[in-house]
Structure formats: structure tokens, C-alpha cells
């Protein structure tokens, strides 16, 4: 296992890391954020196996993608909370309106 074998292994990890980054972007585009996050982590591990210089070279891409995934996950959770609150508000409004009609239809006490 000489320098050529080490270079082959490094090239394999480098290629693997790049492939995983591409998968992470594809998952992100499909809004599969958990899979995107896992692919970013796997890409980082592959680049780490390739050496610290490679991790440094890819850190901007890894960090940006990680940030985008996190931001979109948080945004998705926020939108879901807002939708739940709207549903509660709409039900309360509907109950108020139904209660008001019920009193008027039966006559005043």
C-alpha cells in the first residue's frame, strides 16, 4: 500500500463526498430536509477521510448547505405552527358565529 494506493483512496473519498453533496442538494430541492442533512454529514465525513485540506476547501459549501437545510426546516415548522393557529382561530370564529345565530333564531329571553 504505497502512495498510489493512498492517492486512490483519497480520490475515492473526494468523489464520494462530491456525490453526497449533489445528493444533499437534490434532497433539499425535493424538500426532504432530514435526508439532505444526513447527506451533508456523510459528505463531511467523506471529505474528512480525504484530509483536512479537503474539508477546508469544501467547508463553505458544506456550511452553506447545512445552513439552508436548517433554515428551511425551521421555516417549515413555523408555517405548520401558523397553519395550526389559523385552524384554531377559524374554529373559534365559527363557534362564535353559530352561537350568535342560535340565540337570535330562538328568540330573546
Amino acid at each position: 500500500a504505497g502512495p498510489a494506493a493512498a492517492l486512490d483512496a483519497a480520490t475515492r473519498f473526494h468523489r464520494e463526498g462530491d456525490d453526497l453533496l449533489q445528493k444533499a442538494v437534490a434532497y433539499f430541492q425535493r424538500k426532504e430536509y432530514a435526508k439532505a442533512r444526513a447527506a451533508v454529514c456523510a459528505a463531511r465525513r467523506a471529505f474528512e477521510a480525504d484530509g483536512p485540506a479537503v474539508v477546508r476547501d469544501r467547508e463553505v459549501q458544506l456550511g452553506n448547505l447545512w445552513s439552508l437545510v436548517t433554515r428551511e426546516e425551521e421555516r417549515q415548522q413555523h408555517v405548520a405552527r401558523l397553519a395550526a393557529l389559523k385552524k384554531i382561530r377559524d374554529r373559534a370564529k365559527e363557534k362564535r358565529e353559530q352561537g350568535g345565530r342560535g340565540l337570535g333564531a330562538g328568540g330573546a329571553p
Side-chain angles (χ1 to χ4, degrees):
L7 184 60
D8 287 345
T11 301
R12 180 175 55 86
F13 287 126
H14 195 97
R15 195 170 34 245
E16 183 180 317
D18 286 337
D19 290 345
L20 286 163
L21 266 180
Q22 289 178 356
K23 285 181 182 181
V25 170
Y27 287 136
F28 178 78
Q29 290 172 338
R30 291 192 306 260
K31 299 181 181 189
E32 297 179 46
Y33 302 123
K35 288 181 180 180
R37 180 184 300 276
V40 170
C41 289
R44 183 181 302 277
R45 285 191 302 271
F47 290 136
E48 286 170 351
D50 201 14
V54 176
V55 176
R56 278 193 306 275
D57 289 345
R58 291 293 195 267
E59 188 57 42
V60 171
Q61 292 170 305
L62 291 165
N64 285 344
L65 190 51
W66 181 268
S67 177
L68 284 171
V69 170
T70 301
R71 192 173 320 131
E72 281 303 308
E73 284 177 320
E74 290 171 354
R75 187 189 66 76
Q76 193 175 49
Q77 291 169 359
H78 180 70
V79 168
R81 280 194 304 273
L82 288 177
L85 289 173
K86 182 182 182 317
K87 191 180 288 188
I88 291 168
R89 189 185 71 220
D90 291 348
R91 276 191 245 142
K93 181 180 175 184
E94 186 178 300
K95 284 183 180 181
R96 278 195 310 272
E97 289 172 355
Q98 288 175 353
R101 283 194 299 257
L103 289 176

